[in-house]
Each structure stands twice: as structure tokens, then as C-alpha cells.
Amino acid sequence: MPFFKNQDINYFYKIEGEGFPFLFIHGLGGSIEANKYIIENLEGVQKIYVDMRGHGRTYPLGLKKYLNFEQFSEDVYNLINYLNIKKIIVGGISMGSAVSIRFALKFPWLIEGLILIRPA
């Protein structure tokens, strides 16, 4: 199982397929498995999924003060940096959309596109 470590938290992530990188972020209380079905049949993209802090197989929770969109966007940045990705499509459902928007505003040079489903 692939994990990357950031701020003493082990983030669980999955990568599937070939093509342009596309990170899809789950909603509040969800996990990779909860919303994977939405994009799993897309072709031509490398699908990247991550369990955000406090969700799924990512552990431990870490400090509660970091459970916010600002920190989640930093966590996404750290994963993308860890994977050595220079340009990416980011998207998500509900909370994942909000994290994606915050990420795009904070790191616009990395964004190739946004896909937002039911933005929080």
C-alpha cells in the first residue's frame, strides 16, 4: 500500500492508469473508495486518489487545528511534490471540490484544470 509521510501523518494514496495526472479528492467523511467510481472509467488520465487527513486509511489524525481547507490544500501540494508532478488536473466532490479550489488559488502554476462536483 502506498503511503507518503507529511507532518508525521501517513497519507494513503493510489495511482491508476496512464496519461495526464488527475487528482480526485473525496468528500467530507469519505475516502478513496467512497467516490472512486466517479472517475475510475476515465481513459487517457493517470488517476490519483488520496485519503485526506482524518479520513480513510490516512493516520494518525494529527492536530485538530489543521483540519481545514488551507492545510488540506498544503497536504495536496505535498503529495503532488512528492510524486514530482509539474502540472495536474485537480478535482473532487463536495469537500474535495473546496480543497481543489483552495489548492488552485494557492498554487495556480500547477493547475491544468479543475473538475468540481457539488462544491462545498
Side-chain angles (χ1 to χ4, degrees):
M1 290 187 187
F3 286 89
F4 89 98
K5 195 165 194 145
N6 175 44
Q7 294 181 349
D8 295 324
I9 296 173
N10 298 297
Y11 290 81
F12 179 72
Y13 70 97
K14 282 186 180 179
I15 299 176
E16 298 176 346
E18 299 287 328
F20 197 85
F22 173 26
L23 174 66
F24 190 75
I25 305 168
H26 60 78
L28 182 64
S31 68
I32 290 171
E33 302 306 323
N35 300 117
K36 186 177 174 191
Y37 70 93
I38 295 171
I39 69 162
E40 68 185 348
N41 292 322
L42 284 178
E43 294 182 14
V45 294
Q46 181 184 54
K47 296 170 286 289
I48 304 167
Y49 310 94
V50 63
D51 283 341
M52 300 303 292
R53 62 173 69 210
H55 294 81
R57 290 177 258 185
T58 291
Y59 70 94
L61 174 63
L63 298 175
K64 291 179 185 175
K65 71 179 184 176
Y66 293 122
L67 296 175
N68 58 63
F69 293 140
E70 180 71 21
Q71 183 59 55
F72 285 2
S73 70
E74 290 280 340
D75 296 340
V76 168
Y77 173 79
N78 289 327
L79 172 62
I80 290 169
N81 191 49
Y82 173 80
L83 296 174
N84 198 30
I85 295 171
K86 303 301 181 206
K87 280 282 195 189
I88 192 163
I89 298 167
V90 178
I93 187 165
S94 191
M95 177 196 82
S97 289
V99 173
S100 298
I101 292 168
R102 183 68 192 131
F103 177 83
L105 291 170
K106 192 165 184 167
F107 307 103
W109 62 90
L110 293 171
I111 293 294
E112 184 67 26
L114 283 172
I115 298 177
L116 309 174
I117 302 170
R118 291 186 318 201

mmCIF file of all heavy atoms in Angstrom, residues 70-92:
data_model
loop_
_atom_site.group_PDB
_atom_site.id
_atom_site.type_symbol
_atom_site.label_atom_id
_atom_site.label_comp_id
_atom_site.label_asym_id
_atom_site.label_seq_id
_atom_site.Cartn_x
_atom_site.Cartn_y
_atom_site.Cartn_z
ATOM 1 N N GLU A 70 -7.225 25.213 4.171
ATOM 2 C CA GLU A 70 -5.867 25.726 3.964
ATOM 3 C C GLU A 70 -4.847 24.602 4.109
ATOM 4 O O GLU A 70 -3.981 24.404 3.248
ATOM 5 C CB GLU A 70 -5.565 26.853 4.956
ATOM 6 C CG GLU A 70 -4.190 27.449 4.821
ATOM 7 C CD GLU A 70 -4.009 28.288 3.561
ATOM 8 O OE1 GLU A 70 -5.009 28.740 2.982
ATOM 9 O OE2 GLU A 70 -2.853 28.471 3.159
ATOM 10 N N GLN A 71 -4.944 23.844 5.204
ATOM 11 C CA GLN A 71 -3.999 22.751 5.430
ATOM 12 C C GLN A 71 -4.202 21.622 4.432
ATOM 13 O O GLN A 71 -3.240 21.047 3.928
ATOM 14 C CB GLN A 71 -4.108 22.216 6.856
ATOM 15 C CG GLN A 71 -3.088 21.133 7.164
ATOM 16 C CD GLN A 71 -1.658 21.605 6.993
ATOM 17 O OE1 GLN A 71 -1.252 22.587 7.582
ATOM 18 N NE2 GLN A 71 -0.871 20.916 6.166
ATOM 19 N N PHE A 72 -5.461 21.301 4.116
ATOM 20 C CA PHE A 72 -5.721 20.248 3.140
ATOM 21 C C PHE A 72 -5.086 20.593 1.797
ATOM 22 O O PHE A 72 -4.546 19.720 1.120
ATOM 23 C CB PHE A 72 -7.221 20.019 2.975
ATOM 24 C CG PHE A 72 -7.885 19.271 4.104
ATOM 25 C CD1 PHE A 72 -7.197 18.870 5.228
ATOM 26 C CD2 PHE A 72 -9.225 18.983 4.040
ATOM 27 C CE1 PHE A 72 -7.821 18.191 6.268
ATOM 28 C CE2 PHE A 72 -9.873 18.303 5.056
ATOM 29 C CZ PHE A 72 -9.164 17.895 6.173
ATOM 30 N N SER A 73 -5.146 21.877 1.398
ATOM 31 C CA SER A 73 -4.522 22.263 0.131
ATOM 32 C C SER A 73 -3.000 22.109 0.209
ATOM 33 O O SER A 73 -2.362 21.715 -0.770
ATOM 34 C CB SER A 73 -4.920 23.680 -0.278
ATOM 35 O OG SER A 73 -4.336 24.651 0.553
ATOM 36 N N GLU A 74 -2.414 22.394 1.362
ATOM 37 C CA GLU A 74 -0.971 22.174 1.562
ATOM 38 C C GLU A 74 -0.649 20.683 1.490
ATOM 39 O O GLU A 74 0.376 20.295 0.931
ATOM 40 C CB GLU A 74 -0.537 22.725 2.932
ATOM 41 C CG GLU A 74 -0.556 24.215 3.039
ATOM 42 C CD GLU A 74 0.665 24.876 2.421
ATOM 43 O OE1 GLU A 74 1.700 24.210 2.239
ATOM 44 O OE2 GLU A 74 0.560 26.072 2.110
ATOM 45 N N ASP A 75 -1.523 19.859 2.057
ATOM 46 C CA ASP A 75 -1.313 18.413 2.011
ATOM 47 C C ASP A 75 -1.327 17.917 0.566
ATOM 48 O O ASP A 75 -0.506 17.082 0.174
ATOM 49 C CB ASP A 75 -2.383 17.687 2.830
ATOM 50 C CG ASP A 75 -2.322 18.008 4.316
ATOM 51 O OD1 ASP A 75 -1.273 18.468 4.804
ATOM 52 O OD2 ASP A 75 -3.349 17.806 4.996
ATOM 53 N N VAL A 76 -2.257 18.429 -0.236
ATOM 54 C CA VAL A 76 -2.323 18.077 -1.651
ATOM 55 C C VAL A 76 -1.036 18.521 -2.352
ATOM 56 O O VAL A 76 -0.447 17.764 -3.123
ATOM 57 C CB VAL A 76 -3.573 18.698 -2.319
ATOM 58 C CG1 VAL A 76 -3.494 18.596 -3.836
ATOM 59 C CG2 VAL A 76 -4.836 18.020 -1.794
ATOM 60 N N TYR A 77 -0.591 19.733 -2.073
ATOM 61 C CA TYR A 77 0.662 20.221 -2.657
ATOM 62 C C TYR A 77 1.821 19.280 -2.303
ATOM 63 O O TYR A 77 2.638 18.933 -3.161
ATOM 64 C CB TYR A 77 0.980 21.634 -2.178
ATOM 65 C CG TYR A 77 2.329 22.108 -2.625
ATOM 66 C CD1 TYR A 77 2.530 22.584 -3.923
ATOM 67 C CD2 TYR A 77 3.427 22.037 -1.770
ATOM 68 C CE1 TYR A 77 3.777 22.987 -4.349
ATOM 69 C CE2 TYR A 77 4.680 22.433 -2.195
ATOM 70 C CZ TYR A 77 4.855 22.905 -3.480
ATOM 71 O OH TYR A 77 6.102 23.294 -3.903
ATOM 72 N N ASN A 78 1.892 18.860 -1.055
ATOM 73 C CA ASN A 78 2.984 17.985 -0.626
ATOM 74 C C ASN A 78 2.928 16.629 -1.326
ATOM 75 O O ASN A 78 3.973 16.072 -1.670
ATOM 76 C CB ASN A 78 2.970 17.827 0.894
ATOM 77 C CG ASN A 78 3.400 19.102 1.584
ATOM 78 O OD1 ASN A 78 4.232 19.853 1.088
ATOM 79 N ND2 ASN A 78 2.818 19.389 2.730
ATOM 80 N N LEU A 79 1.725 16.106 -1.566
ATOM 81 C CA LEU A 79 1.606 14.850 -2.313
ATOM 82 C C LEU A 79 2.072 15.050 -3.754
ATOM 83 O O LEU A 79 2.860 14.247 -4.277
ATOM 84 C CB LEU A 79 0.163 14.340 -2.295
ATOM 85 C CG LEU A 79 -0.116 13.136 -3.205
ATOM 86 C CD1 LEU A 79 0.713 11.927 -2.782
ATOM 87 C CD2 LEU A 79 -1.601 12.813 -3.215
ATOM 88 N N ILE A 80 1.614 16.097 -4.397
ATOM 89 C CA ILE A 80 1.994 16.365 -5.786
ATOM 90 C C ILE A 80 3.508 16.571 -5.895
ATOM 91 O O ILE A 80 4.150 16.072 -6.822
ATOM 92 C CB ILE A 80 1.200 17.567 -6.325
ATOM 93 C CG1 ILE A 80 -0.263 17.160 -6.492
ATOM 94 C CG2 ILE A 80 1.768 18.078 -7.640
ATOM 95 C CD1 ILE A 80 -1.203 18.307 -6.760
ATOM 96 N N ASN A 81 4.078 17.280 -4.948
ATOM 97 C CA ASN A 81 5.522 17.473 -4.916
ATOM 98 C C ASN A 81 6.243 16.132 -4.709
ATOM 99 O O ASN A 81 7.237 15.845 -5.386
ATOM 100 C CB ASN A 81 5.883 18.473 -3.820
ATOM 101 C CG ASN A 81 7.319 18.911 -3.894
ATOM 102 O OD1 ASN A 81 7.808 19.294 -4.950
ATOM 103 N ND2 ASN A 81 7.993 18.857 -2.762
ATOM 104 N N TYR A 82 5.742 15.333 -3.794
ATOM 105 C CA TYR A 82 6.311 14.006 -3.526
ATOM 106 C C TYR A 82 6.313 13.149 -4.790
ATOM 107 O O TYR A 82 7.273 12.420 -5.055
ATOM 108 C CB TYR A 82 5.512 13.329 -2.410
ATOM 109 C CG TYR A 82 5.865 11.904 -2.140
ATOM 110 C CD1 TYR A 82 6.990 11.570 -1.380
ATOM 111 C CD2 TYR A 82 5.077 10.870 -2.631
ATOM 112 C CE1 TYR A 82 7.308 10.245 -1.124
ATOM 113 C CE2 TYR A 82 5.380 9.545 -2.382
ATOM 114 C CZ TYR A 82 6.498 9.236 -1.631
ATOM 115 O OH TYR A 82 6.819 7.927 -1.385
ATOM 116 N N LEU A 83 5.235 13.254 -5.582
ATOM 117 C CA LEU A 83 5.107 12.473 -6.813
ATOM 118 C C LEU A 83 5.827 13.129 -7.993
ATOM 119 O O LEU A 83 5.808 12.595 -9.101
ATOM 120 C CB LEU A 83 3.622 12.272 -7.151
ATOM 121 C CG LEU A 83 2.827 11.455 -6.136
ATOM 122 C CD1 LEU A 83 1.343 11.457 -6.498
ATOM 123 C CD2 LEU A 83 3.365 10.027 -6.032
ATOM 124 N N ASN A 84 6.455 14.289 -7.751
ATOM 125 C CA ASN A 84 7.224 15.009 -8.766
ATOM 126 C C ASN A 84 6.377 15.379 -9.991
ATOM 127 O O ASN A 84 6.815 15.234 -11.130
ATOM 128 C CB ASN A 84 8.463 14.207 -9.175
ATOM 129 C CG ASN A 84 9.491 15.073 -9.861
ATOM 130 O OD1 ASN A 84 9.600 16.261 -9.592
ATOM 131 N ND2 ASN A 84 10.237 14.477 -10.778
ATOM 132 N N ILE A 85 5.167 15.861 -9.729
ATOM 133 C CA ILE A 85 4.249 16.270 -10.792
ATOM 134 C C ILE A 85 4.384 17.776 -10.989
ATOM 135 O O ILE A 85 4.342 18.540 -10.027
ATOM 136 C CB ILE A 85 2.802 15.879 -10.429
ATOM 137 C CG1 ILE A 85 2.685 14.348 -10.384
ATOM 138 C CG2 ILE A 85 1.818 16.490 -11.408
ATOM 139 C CD1 ILE A 85 1.371 13.843 -9.843
ATOM 140 N N LYS A 86 4.510 18.201 -12.235
ATOM 141 C CA LYS A 86 4.716 19.618 -12.557
ATOM 142 C C LYS A 86 3.427 20.325 -12.976
ATOM 143 O O LYS A 86 3.303 21.535 -12.829
ATOM 144 C CB LYS A 86 5.754 19.766 -13.667
ATOM 145 C CG LYS A 86 7.088 19.122 -13.337
ATOM 146 C CD LYS A 86 7.713 19.680 -12.089
ATOM 147 C CE LYS A 86 9.061 19.020 -11.818
ATOM 148 N NZ LYS A 86 9.432 19.038 -10.434
ATOM 149 N N LYS A 87 2.469 19.597 -13.544
ATOM 150 C CA LYS A 87 1.160 20.126 -13.947
ATOM 151 C C LYS A 87 0.128 19.043 -13.679
ATOM 152 O O LYS A 87 0.405 17.855 -13.908
ATOM 153 C CB LYS A 87 1.120 20.471 -15.438
ATOM 154 C CG LYS A 87 1.731 21.783 -15.798
ATOM 155 C CD LYS A 87 0.775 22.901 -15.451
ATOM 156 C CE LYS A 87 1.212 24.183 -16.152
ATOM 157 N NZ LYS A 87 0.473 25.332 -15.719
ATOM 158 N N ILE A 88 -1.077 19.463 -13.240
ATOM 159 C CA ILE A 88 -2.070 18.473 -12.851
ATOM 160 C C ILE A 88 -3.484 19.031 -13.007
ATOM 161 O O ILE A 88 -3.695 20.244 -12.924
ATOM 162 C CB ILE A 88 -1.820 18.013 -11.390
ATOM 163 C CG1 ILE A 88 -2.649 16.777 -11.042
ATOM 164 C CG2 ILE A 88 -2.054 19.150 -10.400
ATOM 165 C CD1 ILE A 88 -2.154 16.048 -9.800
ATOM 166 N N ILE A 89 -4.414 18.144 -13.242
ATOM 167 C CA ILE A 89 -5.835 18.457 -13.140
ATOM 168 C C ILE A 89 -6.235 18.034 -11.733
ATOM 169 O O ILE A 89 -5.890 16.936 -11.289
ATOM 170 C CB ILE A 89 -6.659 17.674 -14.177
ATOM 171 C CG1 ILE A 89 -6.234 18.042 -15.593
ATOM 172 C CG2 ILE A 89 -8.159 17.930 -13.969
ATOM 173 C CD1 ILE A 89 -6.759 17.107 -16.658
ATOM 174 N N VAL A 90 -6.925 18.904 -11.024
ATOM 175 C CA VAL A 90 -7.358 18.604 -9.657
ATOM 176 C C VAL A 90 -8.871 18.741 -9.610
ATOM 177 O O VAL A 90 -9.451 19.630 -10.231
ATOM 178 C CB VAL A 90 -6.699 19.559 -8.636
ATOM 179 C CG1 VAL A 90 -7.182 19.275 -7.227
ATOM 180 C CG2 VAL A 90 -5.190 19.439 -8.689
ATOM 181 N N GLY A 91 -9.486 17.866 -8.860
ATOM 182 C CA GLY A 91 -10.932 17.952 -8.710
ATOM 183 C C GLY A 91 -11.398 17.131 -7.533
ATOM 184 O O GLY A 91 -10.619 16.450 -6.875
ATOM 185 N N GLY A 92 -12.684 17.228 -7.302
ATOM 186 C CA GLY A 92 -13.238 16.461 -6.210
ATOM 187 C C GLY A 92 -14.730 16.669 -6.090
ATOM 188 O O GLY A 92 -15.345 17.407 -6.859
#
